[in-house]
């Protein structure tokens, strides 16, 4: 079972109706030295930014982001060994062969966390889609009702000197979003990769809401969903300044926002997404913030290694010296093969887990008991490495 990034995809909708995918079992080993065919690969294509999690624990198995374009999550059934694999000095033509092994089964959850530098958040109808369409090449649908945008809209902001950035319009938040109210969880996960957040508020209170309270409520939802989001740099864009009609004795809403949030280190920019007023200053300030932050994207490290959670920790394994070469040691066993099927040995964390696995199961000790020396070869299910203590 292989997950592969397809740059032409931007949603996981293909997996909404079909939820089970199966590779085939390995074929039985045959006579005349024949090795059974391994189970065929199933390649599942996903958009960049997809995080694959173990369904029960919610822990990350793989993050299909950055350079990780293709990853084996489960190996199909390995073909059985042919009869010659079991030949000995006293039985040159054994009459049995290894059966093909069944494919493994794992239930996973796929989450798409869009890859954008800046997240645009705010209540419905504050003008996010209008702002995005003005500052980028995106063409979002715009309508006057809650959750009009059912998936994040991505756009590229082009600034002079080629110093642009990617901005994501996160669909309108509502109170309780962090608890899953509305489509809260569906949308909040897209903010997790963003480095900077722009809070767009309706400074003119055209729908009767208080813009100061809106910022506090949005921040509360973000913090309730993921405490780390509260620490991300923020900017407040006070929109619809062209619709503000001040009455005598009524405080200026822009000044109220500045007095409330700028002492907390959150700058406020007065803008009009319709006329373009103040937008240039906002964008260049956001660019400056991004320049001060590390360029490394947010990548989720592998957390879930299924072998750590296996109920039976006493599955058998064999360690033996190869009959053909006394400097080659063969290690086999179902637990070992399962571990190799789940573990990404190309990652530092995965390889460290592999080393600890060999130590914790007693395999390293068994190899030493058999007299393994530095430079000798260890083979296990297609993996081969030199031993050094």
């Amino acid at each position: 079972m292989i997950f592969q990034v397809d740059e032409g995809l931007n949603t996981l909708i293909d997996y909404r109706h079909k939820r089970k995918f199966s590779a085939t079992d390995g074929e039985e080993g045959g006579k005349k030295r024949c090795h059974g065919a391994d189970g065929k690969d199933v390649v599942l294509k996903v958009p960049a930014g997809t995080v694959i999690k173990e369904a029960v624990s919610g822990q990350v198995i793989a993050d299909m982001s950055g350079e990780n374009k293709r990853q084996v999550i489960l190996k199909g059934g390995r073909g059985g060994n042919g009869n010659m694999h079991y030949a000995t000095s006293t039985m040159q033509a054994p009459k049995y062969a290894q059966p093909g092994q069944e494919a493994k089964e794992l239930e996973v959850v796929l989450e798409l966390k869009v890859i954008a530098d800046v997240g645009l958040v705010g209540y419905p109808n504050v003008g996010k889609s209008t702002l995005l369409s003005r500052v980028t090449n995106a063409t979002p649908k715009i309508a006057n009702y809650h959750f009009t945008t059912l998936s994040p809209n991505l756009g590229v902001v082009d600034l002079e000197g080629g110093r642009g950035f990617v901005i994501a319009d996160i669909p309108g938040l509502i109170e309780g979003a962090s608890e899953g109210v509305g489509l809260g969880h569906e949308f909040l996960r897209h903010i997790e990769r963003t480095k900077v957040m722009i809070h767009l508020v309706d400074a003119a209170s055209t729908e009767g809401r208080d813009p100061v309270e809106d910022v506090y409520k949005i921040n509360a939802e973000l913090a309730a969903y993921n405490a780390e989001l509260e620490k991300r740099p923020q900017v407040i864009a006070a929109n619809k300044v062209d619709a503000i009609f001040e009455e005598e004795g009524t405080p200026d809403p822009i000044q109220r926002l500045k007095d409330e949030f700028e002492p907390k280190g959150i700058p406020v920019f007065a803008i009009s997404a319709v006329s373009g007023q103040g937008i240039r200053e906002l964008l260049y300030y956001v660019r400056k913030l991004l320049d001060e932050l590390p360029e490394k994207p947010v990548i989720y490290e592998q957390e879930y290694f299924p072998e750590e959670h296996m109920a039976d920790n006493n599955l058998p394994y064999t360690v033996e010296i190869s009959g053909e070469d006394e400097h080659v040691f063969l290690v086999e066993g179902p637990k070992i093969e399962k571990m190799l099927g789940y573990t990404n040995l190309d990652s530092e964390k995965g390889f460290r887990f592999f080393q600890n696995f060999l130590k914790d199961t007693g395999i390293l000790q068994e190899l030493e008991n058999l007299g393994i020396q530095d430079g000798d070869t260890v083979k296990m299910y297609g993996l081969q490495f030199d031993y050094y203590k």
Side-chain angles (χ1 to χ4, degrees), residues 116-161:
D117 301 302
V118 178
L120 186 59
V121 298
Y123 272 77
N125 307 326
V126 295
K128 296 193 306 302
S129 295
T130 303
L131 177 62
L132 190 75
S133 63
R134 172 171 281 277
V135 302
T136 76
N137 55 359
T139 54
K141 296 177 182 178
I142 300 172
N144 189 35
Y145 49 87
H146 288 191
F147 290 118
T148 187
T149 312
L150 294 181
S151 60
N153 286 302
L154 289 177
V156 178
V157 175
D158 292 319
L159 299 177
E160 295 173 6

Side-chain angles (χ1 to χ4, degrees), residues 10 27 103 107 112 132 227 267 326 343 349 375:
N10 54 25
E27 292 182 2
E107 186 176 355
L112 177 58
L132 190 75
E326 62 180 8
T343 305
K349 188 172 182 180

Side-chain angles (χ1 to χ4, degrees), residues 118 200 230 248 279 292 341 381:
V118 178
L200 200 65
E230 211 173 12
E248 191 173 343
I279 289 179
E292 296 169 356
Y381 295 105

Side-chain angles (χ1 to χ4, degrees), residues 315-327:
L315 289 176
Y317 62 83
T318 60
V319 180
E320 58 187 15
I321 301 173
S322 170
E324 300 175 358
D325 187 337
E326 62 180 8
H327 296 290

Side-chain angles (χ1 to χ4, degrees), residues 52 129 142 156 198 202 206 245 327 368:
I52 304 163
S129 295
I142 300 172
V156 178
I198 298 176
D202 178 359
T206 58
F245 298 99
H327 296 290
E368 291 174 4

